[in-house]
Amino acid sequence: MMGYKLFTHGRTDVKILGLSCSPRRQGNTEILVGEALHGAEHEGAEVELYSVSGKTIAPCDGCGTCRETGECHIKDDMQNLYNKLVEADGIIFGTPIYFYSMAAQTKTIIDRTIALNHPGRSLTNKVGGIVVVGGSLGLIDAVKSLYFYIVTRPMLPANFVAAYAGPEGEIRKREQGMKAAKDLGRQMVQLAAKKFEYPSEFMGRAIAYGTHTH
Ligand SMILES: Cc1cc2nc3c(=O)[nH]c(=O)nc-3n(C[C@H](O)[C@H](O)[C@H](O)COP(=O)(O)O)c2cc1C
């Protein structure tokens, strides 16, 4: 415990990537993910904010070639994001709510990460945090979907922040939400510094029975 505290007081070797999956530049999602990154930076991590705004990321076409190669044949902005995801020790998935669920941009990125189901190039054992922002309804649906995604990578789930905000920048008024985001970033650095590893015995186990499995 003492050693761990000493470690986090200095610079750590932890890298936290914050993904803002809103097309709205400097919108509520980006602000809240940015706040989480401030927390992570404060805790000693190297941080990077990646916004999907202005990026071209096509949906997965289900071709299945990545199963063999570990690479996606679609040559768009996702290629750069793959490298950032693989390099990170912790990833914050930030999404606005669009029609009671995560925005299509978020789902598109998640689907494309099927190419990261590959040894040596996977999301396994990274820490996953969640930030969702919506004006009224659907926040929990997105949180649940993102948690399920994180757990099945398998990543180590950190906390989540769900906050209500509609107009651009309104999130700044949610003082407790902003504080919770900062704490999420700090928590993720502390979790990542523990170098958690899932026991290999349970890796790759099927998670649904009687459908595509026996
Ligand atoms: C196409 C669209 C659909 C939306 N649907 C919902 C919704 O179902 N529930 C909700 O709470 N907010 C909804 N909103 C509001 C956004 O979630 C809200 O404005 C959020 O703060 C946007 O985040 P951003 O500033 O990061 O883009 C919707 C916004 C858009 C543009």
Side-chain angles (χ1 to χ4, degrees), residues 48 71 184:
E48 182 170 346
E71 284 183 23
L184 169 65

Side-chain angles (χ1 to χ4, degrees), residues 18 37 53-54 67-68 81 89 96-97 99 101 119 122 129 131 133 141 153 157 161-162 165-166 174 183 193 201 209:
L37 291 178
S53 177
R67 253 183 256 140
E68 317 298 324
L81 183 53
D89 302 295
I97 300 302
F99 286 99
S101 187
S122 79
V131 166
V133 188
D141 297 73
R153 289 313 74 218
V161 179
R174 305 280 174 267
D183 285 347
E201 183 189 347
Y209 297 92

Side-chain angles (χ1 to χ4, degrees), residues 20 22-24 27-30 96-101 133-139 164-169:
S20 169
S22 170
R24 192 149 74 163
N28 295 315
T29 308
E30 189 176 314
I97 300 302
Y98 280 7
F99 286 99
Y100 322 110
S101 187
V133 188
S136 57
L137 290 173
L139 282 77
Y164 290 98
E168 205 169 337

Side-chain angles (χ1 to χ4, degrees), residues 144-206:
K144 281 197 283 191
S145 300
L146 287 167
Y147 254 115
F148 193 62
Y149 170 78
I150 285 170
V151 167
T152 55
R153 289 313 74 218
M155 296 170 76
L156 176 66
N159 218 336
F160 69 89
V161 179
Y164 290 98
E168 205 169 337
E170 192 184 37
I171 195 67
R172 291 191 201 280
K173 295 184 191 157
R174 305 280 174 267
E175 280 178 28
Q176 293 198 21
M178 295 286 277
K179 163 90 171 57
K182 207 165 187 177
D183 285 347
L184 169 65
R186 294 185 51 230
Q187 182 203 35
M188 288 180 67
V189 180
Q190 294 196 17
L191 287 173
K194 290 179 190 283
K195 311 279 182 209
F196 165 86
E197 280 188 29
Y198 273 94
S200 55
E201 183 189 347
F202 304 105
M203 302 292 270
R205 286 266 178 101

Side-chain angles (χ1 to χ4, degrees), residues 17-186:
L17 177 68
L19 268 183
S20 169
C21 296
S22 170
R24 192 149 74 163
R25 192 93 227 197
Q26 291 173 0
N28 295 315
T29 308
E30 189 176 314
I31 293 167
L32 208 52
V33 170
E35 200 62 13
L37 291 178
H38 280 146
E41 202 171 22
H42 184 263
E43 204 67 24
E46 235 179 85
V47 300
E48 182 170 346
L49 178 72
Y50 183 96
S51 167
V52 302
S53 177
K55 306 289 193 314
T56 304
I57 300 181
C60 172
D61 62 6
C63 74
T65 49
C66 65
R67 253 183 256 140
E68 317 298 324
T69 63
E71 284 183 23
C72 178
H73 76 97
I74 305 171
K75 302 301 176 216
D76 59 8
D77 288 322
M78 191 65 202
Q79 296 298 337
N80 183 31
L81 183 53
Y82 281 134
N83 294 333
K84 291 181 190 296
L85 290 167
V86 170
E87 217 185 299
D89 302 295
I91 302 164
I92 301 163
F93 296 92
T95 186
I97 300 302
Y98 280 7
F99 286 99
Y100 322 110
S101 187
M102 69 178 82
Q105 288 83 349
T106 320
K107 186 64 165 61
T108 300
I109 287 176
I110 280 177
D111 289 351
R112 290 283 296 281
T113 64
I114 196 155
L116 299 180
N117 274 359
H118 221 254
R121 202 166 152 78
S122 79
L123 301 180
T124 301
N125 294 328
K126 297 181 190 296
V127 177
I130 297 170
V131 166
V132 305
V133 188
S136 57
L137 290 173
L139 282 77
I140 282 302
D141 297 73
V143 169
K144 281 197 283 191
S145 300
L146 287 167
Y147 254 115
F148 193 62
Y149 170 78
I150 285 170
V151 167
T152 55
R153 289 313 74 218
M155 296 170 76
L156 176 66
N159 218 336
F160 69 89
V161 179
Y164 290 98
E168 205 169 337
E170 192 184 37
I171 195 67
R172 291 191 201 280
K173 295 184 191 157
R174 305 280 174 267
E175 280 178 28
Q176 293 198 21
M178 295 286 277
K179 163 90 171 57
K182 207 165 187 177
D183 285 347
L184 169 65
R186 294 185 51 230

